[in-house]
Amino acid sequence: MNFSLKILGTASAMPFSDRNPSAQALSVHGRLFLIDCGEGTQQQFRRMHLSFLKVEAIFLTHIHGDHVFGIFGLLSTMGMYGRTQELHIYAPQSFAGILKFFLAYFGDGINFGIVHHTLNMKEPEVVHVSRCVQVSAFPLRHKIDCYGFRFDEIRTARQLEKAPAVSYAYCSDTMPFPELSSWVRGVDILYHEATYVKSMSDKAVSRFHSTTTDAAACALAAGAGKLLVGHYSSRISDFEGYLAECREVFPETFALSDGDVFDF
């Protein structure tokens, strides 16, 4: 498929026995983009037959551990595979110290350039453009600097005659806020964290996260085609009830599992 999403991790801060922390791989016309890099990401690359050498760019939403603990192992493995292609990482300014530490202590064998593009926007901005996709970043509302990403396929006029361009938006850790739905308006598939069920809304507010109904309300206001939810709290055990809460507001909701694949 020309536009395919592979789910590498769906847990939040505490991993499950069968769920890794946040990570997704998006393939657009053969170009591979990694979104977040929680612990275990490189093992998921193996399981899902993804190439360490084909990753064009990495997009890190923020530097909480469940979103970045996998980056050291991933970069090291890229080096061992002999990668030479420059790697672009889009992440908040706070990632600079992490990258500097990694290169200082584990940089031997890294024979490819790593370019850190700092995210500090207040509203959506285009941060990456390649032949087939345009990527925009936008601020989320979390305890620390955190950003979401929107991927819009670029198609020629002739390609558009055959099929419309498709789009995907990734909204990780965030509390709800009015502007978000307009920034992801009309996307074919929206991923929105839904860490808690609605009865735990007090925890969501105190920890700058979203509930099932928060995520579904955003998808509804945005006019999204489908909603994917994840980043599950370790307190969640009734996933059928969890999904039902989302579908009460937005019927085209899917609760993610590690290993899921969505072809656009």
Side-chain angles (χ1 to χ4, degrees):
M1 295 296 293
N2 290 332
F3 212 99
S4 181
L5 179 70
K6 293 188 176 182
I7 308 302
L8 310 181
T10 57
S12 57
M14 296 291 289
F16 293 62
S17 60
D18 59 345
R19 295 180 186 274
N20 291 307
S22 295
Q24 298 183 6
L26 182 67
S27 177
V28 185
H29 295 272
R31 295 172 182 262
L32 189 60
F33 304 96
L34 176 64
I35 313 168
D36 277 339
C37 191
E39 184 180 358
T41 294
Q42 65 170 330
Q43 292 179 315
Q44 291 292 77
F45 260 61
R46 291 272 194 177
R47 293 189 183 103
M48 302 193 75
H49 308 291
L50 295 168
S51 171
F52 293 96
L53 301 181
K54 289 186 178 179
V55 178
E56 180 174 309
I58 298 174
F59 299 87
L60 301 177
T61 57
H62 61 302
I63 63 161
H64 279 162
D66 53 324
H67 297 258
V68 299
F69 278 162
I71 194 71
F72 283 13
L74 184 77
L75 295 177
S76 295
T77 298
M78 287 178 173
M80 286 188 283
Y81 269 100
R83 181 185 178 112
T84 58
Q85 178 188 356
E86 191 173 67
L87 178 66
H88 297 265
I89 301 180
Y90 297 83
Q93 174 61 41
S94 47
F95 178 70
I98 295 173
L99 181 59
K100 182 178 180 180
F101 173 86
F102 168 77
L103 292 173
Y105 286 89
F106 308 107
D108 288 348
I110 302 298
N111 297 315
F112 57 95
I114 302 175
V115 182
H116 172 206
H117 302 266
T118 300
L119 304 175
N120 59 6
M121 62 283 299
K122 301 299 182 184
E123 58 185 21
E125 290 183 13
V126 175
V127 294
H128 182 89
V129 179
S130 64
R131 181 178 57 83
C132 57
V133 68
Q134 172 180 288
V135 188
S136 302
F138 47 86
L140 299 173
R141 293 192 181 174
H142 196 40
K143 285 187 174 181
I144 62 174
D145 285 350
C146 187
Y147 298 87
F149 301 100
R150 175 170 177 154
F151 299 78
D152 288 287
E153 183 186 21
I154 298 172
R155 296 181 71 87
T156 65
R158 179 172 294 182
Q159 289 172 328
L160 287 170
E161 291 176 359
K162 298 178 180 179
V166 298
S167 55
Y168 176 63
Y170 180 92
C171 302
S172 75
D173 302 20
T174 187
M175 64 187 304
F177 61 99
E179 296 87 354
L180 183 55
S181 61
S182 65
W183 293 346
V184 298
R185 190 172 308 283
V187 293
D188 294 282
I189 298 183
L190 167 66
Y191 168 79
H192 194 300
E193 68 111 318
T195 308
Y196 299 105
V197 293
K198 59 185 178 183
S199 64
M200 300 170 70
S201 60
D202 57 331
K203 288 184 172 57
V205 171
S206 66
R207 297 172 185 178
F208 289 76
H209 277 292
S210 294
T211 65
T212 51
T213 51
D214 291 331
C218 181
L220 184 65
K226 290 183 174 65
L227 170 66
L228 311 181
V229 291
H231 199 264
Y232 307 118
S233 166
S234 58
R235 296 179 175 86
I236 302 299
S237 58
D238 177 15
F239 282 94
E240 289 188 7
Y242 177 97
L243 181 58
E245 286 189 2
C246 294
R247 288 182 170 175
E248 285 178 5
V249 179
F250 193 81
E252 283 295 305
T253 301
F254 300 86
L256 295 177
S257 296
D258 290 23
D260 284 348
V261 178
F262 291 85
D263 292 322
F264 292 62

